[in-house]
Amino acid sequence: MTGHLSRLDPQSNFSMIGAFANYSNTDSYTGGIFSSLYWDANRNKLKAGIAGGRINNDYDDYLGTGLPVKTEDNLKGIFARYSRLFAPNWYLGFQAVSSNYAIGAEGIADGLMEQIGLTGFDSNGIGLALEFDDRDDVRNATKGQYFILSNIAYRESLGGDESFDVIQGDYRYYFPFGEGHVFALQAKGRWTYDAPESGYSSLQLRGYTRGNYLDENYTHLDMEARWKIHERWGATVFAGLGCLYDSFSECDTGEHLYPSGGAGITYLLKPKAGLVIKAEYAVGEDDNSAFYIKLGQAF
């Protein structure tokens, strides 16, 4: 991954334009470019990305059917969201997505390297996004809150193969404690209506492969303590619990719940821009685990 940081004007946050490529031992590969732009004293912002590649998935038990399923498909997707400040800390935005993978396609600009899905179909959608943001740093917050509620209406009339709806919500809270330490909390959800299986919601906690666990709806709570150790060096400890469900009442049973936990180290790569590089190890249930090296905080 490579990127360029700069301010488009002195009163705005740092903007970033970058590119990435990755390869996995499933003989899958992805690549793309992305941008996160702020201008006019943060009154305007644009997130956009385009990705492509080949995805291979191997399911031992596909959606609880007991059947093994292998899929191979080409990934292509583009996402853009433009938002405009309309009141102090409040933004209203318009977004559009076009992808042959509907699982998590709405987040292609935020998680380009996590686009894993099933055999795809063409999906084109548009929607609105309402945001509140009073964080002190958009990339490495130490205090404040962030909230976004958005929808994507996928429609055959827009050139897609299916018509269905997706609503997403994301709330984050940051609380400073001690000498430079931060407690961060995230509550996140994705809810679908009339979605085909390839448009279902996916488990998004660290330690799990995105796309391997699916259901109509998804909600998680993720907590993280971020300690400042020495100058630019820090450490993280995190724990989360996710639920995949048709009806929220199913989250009372263990088979729909997915725990996650882990720890890592961080290095503040670009202090003025709040850009962090981190290495983390996360563990889930049923032998799920993952090691990550990535730019940026988890949330």
Side-chain angles (χ1 to χ4, degrees):
M1 180 176 177
T2 183
H4 174 72
L5 286 162
S6 65
R7 291 187 189 272
L8 299 183
D9 60 77
Q11 290 77 40
S12 293
N13 297 326
F14 275 88
S15 294
M16 183 175 183
I17 298 175
F20 77 94
N22 66 31
Y23 176 83
S24 79
N25 62 4
T26 62
D27 199 27
S28 301
Y29 56 86
T30 56
I33 57 175
F34 60 92
S35 65
S36 180
L37 308 178
Y38 301 84
W39 70 95
D40 191 19
N42 293 326
R43 294 183 182 90
N44 299 279
K45 56 183 180 178
L46 174 68
K47 283 191 173 184
I50 183 170
R54 185 177 72 185
I55 302 295
N56 296 313
N57 280 334
D58 191 350
Y59 300 88
D60 294 328
D61 181 6
Y62 172 61
L63 289 181
T65 63
L67 299 175
V69 174
K70 291 185 178 181
T71 66
E72 178 180 327
D73 207 355
N74 293 319
L75 164 70
K76 58 182 180 180
I78 183 170
F79 173 87
R81 179 195 296 142
Y82 167 75
S83 301
R84 170 74 179 180
L85 188 74
F86 70 90
N89 300 318
W90 285 96
Y91 291 84
L92 184 62
F94 173 82
Q95 57 188 10
V97 61
S98 177
S99 174
N100 64 340
Y101 277 79
I103 297 172
E106 308 86 13
I108 198 170
D110 299 316
L112 278 164
M113 290 174 286
E114 299 178 302
Q115 299 308 302
I116 304 296
L118 305 176
T119 300
F121 60 89
D122 291 332
S123 56
N124 300 316
I126 57 175
L128 299 175
L130 178 67
E131 294 179 76
F132 174 84
D133 193 351
D134 69 352
R135 295 171 293 178
D136 59 340
D137 190 318
V138 295
R139 292 189 176 89
N140 189 27
T142 63
K143 61 181 179 180
Q145 300 177 84
Y146 174 77
F147 169 76
I148 180 169
L149 182 66
S150 67
N151 80 297
I152 291 285
Y154 292 99
R155 293 294 182 268
E156 294 180 61
S157 60
L158 298 174
D161 292 340
E162 301 279 351
S163 293
F164 62 99
D165 292 281
V166 173
I167 296 176
Q168 293 194 113
D170 188 348
Y171 172 75
R172 307 173 188 183
Y173 174 74
Y174 304 90
F175 177 78
F177 67 96
E179 297 295 325
H181 315 316
V182 179
F183 172 77
L185 172 72
Q186 181 190 51
K188 188 175 183 178
R190 183 181 186 270
W191 305 273
T192 68
Y193 179 74
D194 278 347
E197 290 177 350
S198 291
Y200 276 9
S201 300
S202 171
L203 188 62
Q204 299 178 32
L205 286 172
R206 284 166 283 186
Y208 298 90
T209 300
R210 189 165 183 170
N212 275 0
Y213 298 90
L214 302 168
D215 212 324
E216 293 183 25
N217 307 306
Y218 173 71
T219 305
H220 82 218
L221 183 66
D222 204 2
M223 299 174 287
E224 182 172 279
R226 302 169 183 170
W227 281 280
K228 182 178 180 181
I229 297 176
H230 178 68
E231 295 180 350
R232 296 189 183 187
W233 289 95
T236 62
V237 175
F238 53 88
L241 183 65
C243 181
L244 286 164
Y245 55 94
D246 295 331
S247 170
F248 189 72
S249 61
E250 295 175 338
C251 294
D252 291 338
T253 61
E255 68 176 298
H256 294 273
L257 298 177
Y258 299 86
S260 169
I265 58 173
T266 63
Y267 180 76
L268 189 55
L269 189 64
K270 298 287 185 180
K272 290 184 178 179
L275 191 61
V276 170
I277 187 169
K278 61 195 308 185
E280 292 180 326
Y281 182 72
V283 177
E285 69 173 12
D286 296 332
D287 297 324
N288 284 285
S289 63
F291 176 72
Y292 304 90
I293 297 177
K294 62 178 293 184
L295 286 172
Q297 299 286 7
F299 57 87

